[in-house]
Amino acid sequence: MKKILSSEITPYSAYINRRKFIKLAGILSIAMPITSPVSALHTQSTTKYDNQLEEGDKINTYDEITTYNNFYEFGMGKSDPANNSDLFNPKPWKIKIEGLVEKPFEINLEDLLKNISIEDRVYRLRCVEAWSMVIPWQGFPLSKLIEIASPLSSAKFIQFVTVFRPEEMLGQKQRLLPWPYVEGLRMDEAMHPLTILSTGLYGHDLLNQNGAPLRLVVPWKYGFKSIKSIEAIRFVEKQPSATWSMVAPNEYGFYSNVNNAVHHPRWSQGTERRIGEFFRRPTLMFNGYEEEVSYLYKNMDLQKFY
Ligand code: MTE
């Protein structure tokens, strides 16, 4: 398992104070290449979602966020991703932009990040077996990459594809899931400012177990939408396939919105266990982001489009 010394981790309180200091200093939108060392510059956001902590929300510790994971490419157990991902080498990294775009291209992640400033955002990630964490992500809105990609007007959905490297991701040598892992979003969901591509958390580049070097975060959806180690982004006309809804369509729908009224056939979605807490808490509609996102599903029957 990759170790970061605890002395290297910024306690969240110091981290927030540093952010305030930076804000006072009036430094805005500082571009941060992924190779830069951990630094106070790896923070800055002026969006209204910045530092969005609900009443009673506490940021999970770095240790919790990096040792309790789902990443089947490294095994099915929650500690497998931290224990089995050392062989995976996410640097350098290329992203392919494919499908319905003016011109398909490949770009080095480092080059992409030179053109995009990194922001800090605190989001809850709600995983489908009814556990959740609150994570201080660093990343950028997916919409920024979509702008660079210049999709054609016929592109209505986006599919994301995880890298396929069975020599480095030993789970891919077994048939735990059909590989590579794929996920999708409707274009308006993808363009929503809450939807980000993350490159780091707590001021550190993502560790392998969290989806290095680039993973999706869609905070109002169940965790499995947040696909890790993305290698290709494909613009398509029709709703693309997504791994879990391919494997078990009656359990996992394409939309996968956190919805306390639509239960998974094998468990309730009404409550969740926040990692680090003892008592379960009620699950909020759209994971607490109802005000921001419910308009996306205005005229849809969410019992049917789950
Ligand atoms: N992405 C890939 N490629 N493979 C996976 O198995 N698991 C998903 C998602 N992204 C998964 C994935 C699931 S089920 C969850 S809950 C989240 O990652 C967990 O993210 P975290 O481990 O960073 O909390």
Side-chain angles (χ1 to χ4, degrees), residues 5 39 68 91 121 152 183 209 223 250:
L5 296 175
S39 104
Y68 192 89
K91 286 180 184 175
R121 295 176 180 204
L152 305 177
E183 256 307 336
Q209 56 266 39
N250 60 331

Side-chain angles (χ1 to χ4, degrees), residues 181-230:
Y181 196 100
V182 286
E183 256 307 336
L185 290 175
R186 212 171 56 193
M187 191 61 96
D188 56 351
E189 298 176 316
M191 289 296 292
H192 193 283
L194 282 177
T195 305
I196 61 166
L197 286 170
S198 172
T199 57
L201 56 91
Y202 263 122
H204 293 272
D205 288 351
L206 287 180
L207 294 187
N208 290 345
Q209 56 266 39
N210 290 103
L214 188 73
R215 60 89 58 82
L216 188 66
V217 177
V218 195
W220 70 95
K221 293 181 181 278
Y222 291 116
F224 60 89
K225 291 304 262 190
S226 293
I227 180 173
K228 297 176 167 182
S229 305
I230 298 168

Side-chain angles (χ1 to χ4, degrees), residues 83-119:
N83 290 329
N84 303 336
S85 58
D86 275 355
L87 283 178
F88 181 58
N89 179 10
K91 286 180 184 175
W93 193 261
K94 273 198 167 97
I95 300 155
K96 298 178 198 154
I97 305 293
E98 306 175 340
L100 301 170
V101 289
E102 272 169 24
K103 196 161 176 264
F105 60 92
E106 266 188 29
I107 185 163
N108 283 323
L109 182 57
E110 287 183 21
D111 293 333
L112 175 67
L113 294 179
K114 277 180 200 151
N115 295 307
I116 292 182
S117 55
I118 301 284
E119 301 172 358

Side-chain angles (χ1 to χ4, degrees), residues 69-73 125 127 162 181 210 215 223-224 226 228:
N69 301 98
N70 273 339
F71 201 168
Y72 278 37
E73 283 82 342
L125 188 61
C127 289
T162 291
Y181 196 100
N210 290 103
R215 60 89 58 82
F224 60 89
S226 293
K228 297 176 167 182

